[in-house]
Amino acid sequence: MATPVLDKAEAEAQAKAAALITVTFRVRRFNPEVSAESVWQDFQLQIDPKERVLDGLHKIKWDLDGTLTFRRSCAHGICGSDAMRINGKNRLACKTLIKDINPAKPITIEPIKGMTVLKDLVVDMEPFFQAYRDVMPFLITKDTNEPTRERLQSAEDRERFDDTTKCILCAACTSSCPVFWNDGQYFGPAAIVNAHRFIFDSRDEAGEQRLEVLNDKDGVWRCRTTFNCTDACPRGIEVTKAIQEVKRALITRRL
Amino acid sequence: MSTTETTASGIGPVEGAALYDVDNPAPVIEPPRKRTKKTPKSTRGNFEMYGWLFMRLSGIVLVVLVLGHLLIQLVLDGGVSKVGFAFVAGRWASPWWQIWDLAMLWLAMLHGANGLRTVINDYAERTNTRLWLKGLLYTATVFTILLGTLVIFTFDPNIR
C-alpha cells in the first residue's frame, strides 16, 4: 500500500521541480544607515512561473537575504500594503504572476515613486494618508441624533458610487501620477476617489464641504487626465473618470 | 485636520548604534499642503476652476478662429503670396476683422500662458525657479498682448 503513495509523492515532487524556472529579481535597495544612494541588486531564484512576485520576494527574504525590506500584510490583494513598481509599472506584488511579466528578462522591482523611501521598498506613506484624511473619508450627516435604524438607500443610489468603494488605499494610483511626483502637494487620485465615494453617496450630507476641499490649488484641477492612475489601479477602478465626475460636480454646483 | 509636527519617520535603530538620535534627528517629511510662514493663506478658491474652464472654452473658440485665419491667409484667394501691407490694411479697415484678430490674440496668448503656467507648476521643483519662470512668462504675455492690441487699434494704413 505504501509504495504507490510514495510513487505519487515522488512524481509530484518531480513535476514541481520540472515546472521551476530561473528568474532574476532586480531589486532597488536603499538603506539610509549604509549609504545615501540606492542601488540595484540582482537575485537569482528558482520559482514556479505560476507563483506571484510576492512569493519571489518571500524566497529572497527568507532564504537569500533577510535584510530585504518590503510591506505586505494579507498577501491576497485586499490590504493594499505591497504596491510597488514592477517592471516600471505600479502593481500589487501579491496579484502579479511571474509568467505575466516576462520572466526571461530580469524583473525590476522598485519602491513606488513620489514618496520618500525609508528602506528598500518601504516608503513614507504619510503624505498619501494626509491627503486621504483631508477629504474627510467618513459619513457626515446634519442629523446629530444617533440613528435608530439603518440608513436606507436605493440600489440605484448605491450604484452611483459603487466603483469608488473598491479602493484599498494601496497608493498605486497616486504614486503613478506625474503631477504628484513633482512636489507631492497634489491631493492625488486616491484621495479624490475616496472623496467621490462620499460626495455621490445619497446618505452623506457633506458633499459640498468635500468639493470645497478639492477646489484647492492642489485639488482636482491639477489632474491632467494622463490616465496613469486608471492603468495602475489593481482593483480596476476607473479613477480618471471619478476625478472628472468630481470636476463636473464642482462646475455644475459653482456656476 | 490637524497635522502633527513630529511625523513618524519610520527609521528606528536596528542592531548596534542608531544613525539618528536626539541631536541628529531623522529627516522629517513635510506634510502636504501644510500652512507655513511662506504659504500662510488657504489655497482654496475658484481660480483654478475658472482657469480650467477657460482652457476648454477658449480652446473651442480658438479652433474656429485659428483655422479660419489660416484658411484666409494661406489657402483662399491665391494663398500666402497675396499677404502684404495692402492686404492687412484692407482687412483691418473692417471692424469685423479687427475684432476677430483681437479675440484671437487675447485668447491664444491667455490660453498659451495658462498652459505654460501649469507646465511650470508641474515641472519646476524649487519655489524660486517657479517664481522666476512665471515672472518671465507673465511679462512676455502682457507685453505681447498690449503691443498687439495697440497695433490693431492704432494701425494707420497711410503710414509712409
Side-chain angles (χ1 to χ4, degrees):
Chain A
M1 269 316 273
T3 326
V5 174
L6 195 69
D7 283 351
K8 203 181 166 193
E10 252 173 28
E12 256 176 20
Q14 274 174 359
K16 246 186 182 173
L20 294 186
I21 57 166
T22 307
V23 269
T24 306
F25 271 45
R26 185 161 288 170
V27 186
R28 194 80 175 153
R29 303 291 307 266
F30 170 70
N31 185 349
E33 292 167 359
V34 172
S35 166
E37 299 291 318
S38 53
V39 289
W40 292 104
Q41 188 178 352
D42 282 9
F43 296 96
Q44 296 266 338
L45 45 136
Q46 300 281 317
I47 197 164
D48 187 326
K50 292 191 291 299
E51 287 201 274
R52 308 159 299 169
V53 171
L54 182 67
D55 298 315
L57 289 173
H58 278 156
K59 276 189 208 297
I60 295 171
K61 185 166 178 71
W62 295 341
D63 302 337
L64 300 174
D65 183 352
T67 64
L68 179 71
T69 309
F70 57 92
R71 284 198 183 103
R72 78 101 173 82
S73 297
C74 77
H76 290 82
I78 291 300
C79 71
S81 299
D82 64 352
M84 45 191 80
R85 216 167 138 83
I86 300 167
N87 278 357
K89 197 168 173 260
N90 281 1
R91 314 173 208 238
L92 294 183
C94 57
K95 281 186 87 173
T96 310
L97 299 188
I98 301 285
K99 69 182 175 70
D100 293 338
I101 50 170
N102 189 15
K105 283 187 179 173
I107 294 167
T108 63
I109 299 171
E110 300 161 77
I112 47 178
K113 279 181 80 172
M115 281 173 269
T116 310
V117 181
L118 300 177
K119 192 183 177 192
D120 293 346
L121 303 173
V122 174
V123 299
D124 182 358
M125 299 276 279
E126 187 51 31
F128 173 78
F129 286 122
Q130 183 60 51
Y132 175 60
R133 285 192 292 267
D134 283 351
V135 299
M136 301 180 286
F138 37 80
L139 185 83
I140 302 174
T141 58
K142 294 194 180 88
D143 183 14
T144 49
N145 297 326
E146 216 163 275
T148 51
R149 60 185 183 88
E150 63 184 306
R151 299 171 200 274
L152 296 177
Q153 185 172 45
S154 72
E156 293 78 49
D157 283 347
R158 177 60 177 74
E159 186 59 33
R160 180 68 191 84
F161 60 92
D162 186 64
D163 200 34
T164 45
T165 60
K166 298 172 189 162
C167 179
I168 55 173
L169 292 172
C170 66
C173 57
T174 295
S175 61
S176 74
C177 176
V179 178
F180 184 81
W181 290 340
N182 182 26
D183 56 2
Q185 295 293 301
Y186 173 44
F187 270 83
I192 300 171
V193 157
N194 284 280
H196 178 284
R197 184 249 171 275
F198 285 98
I199 290 169
F200 294 96
D201 187 339
S202 61
R203 298 165 296 189
D204 188 85
E205 289 170 50
E208 195 53 43
Q209 289 175 48
R210 293 195 185 86
L211 286 175
E212 186 56 36
V213 169
L214 291 177
N215 204 19
D216 191 277
K217 181 167 83 61
D218 295 305
V220 286
W221 307 112
R222 283 198 81 176
C223 169
R224 308 274 174 262
T225 54
T226 58
F227 283 90
N228 278 18
C229 47
T230 306
D231 289 342
C233 182
R235 307 280 294 166
I237 302 173
E238 294 176 287
V239 183
T240 313
K241 185 183 172 198
I243 299 174
Q244 293 302 97
E245 283 174 358
V246 172
K247 283 181 191 167
R248 187 174 301 163
L250 262 169
I251 286 173
T252 49
R253 290 186 201 189
R254 290 285 185 280
L255 297 179
Chain B
M1 294 292 118
S2 65
T3 49
T4 45
E5 284 292 318
T6 51
T7 310
S9 76
I11 304 173
V14 193
E15 284 157 22
L19 185 70
Y20 301 111
D21 54 34
V22 184
D23 302 319
N24 179 27
V28 174
I29 291 139
E30 191 92 340
R33 294 173 303 287
K34 195 178 148 193
R35 299 276 74 83
T36 61
K37 270 180 197 161
K38 275 183 189 168
T39 54
K41 273 189 290 185
S42 164
T43 47
R44 285 178 204 171
N46 290 333
F47 178 76
E48 291 293 334
M49 180 179 76
Y50 290 129
W52 188 89
L53 260 182
F54 171 77
M55 292 305 270
R56 269 80 201 156
L57 299 177
S58 64
I60 295 168
V61 179
L62 275 170
V63 167
V64 178
L65 290 178
V66 171
L67 286 184
H69 177 81
L70 288 176
L71 202 70
I72 292 164
Q73 305 283 314
L74 305 178
V75 181
L76 302 178
D77 276 338
V80 71
S81 55
K82 70 173 183 290
V83 177
F85 186 85
F87 177 78
V88 174
R91 265 173 40 107
W92 276 351
S94 145
W96 164 259
W97 294 116
Q98 275 189 328
I99 289 170
W100 181 297
D101 282 359
L102 188 75
M104 199 163 63
L105 171 75
W106 276 71
L107 289 179
M109 283 309 293
L110 292 178
H111 186 97
N114 194 33
L116 270 177
R117 183 183 70 89
T118 59
V119 170
I120 293 169
N121 277 342
D122 283 356
Y123 286 94
E125 284 176 10
R126 272 174 299 180
T127 321
N128 272 341
T129 323
R130 268 184 203 192
L131 217 65
W132 278 105
L133 286 175
K134 280 190 200 169
L136 199 67
L137 172 70
Y138 296 153
T139 314
T141 309
V142 168
F143 176 77
T144 314
I145 287 179
L146 288 183
L147 186 67
T149 311
L150 187 76
V151 170
I152 289 174
F153 283 120
T154 61
F155 181 75
D156 180 7
N158 302 315
I159 198 167
R160 280 180 191 280

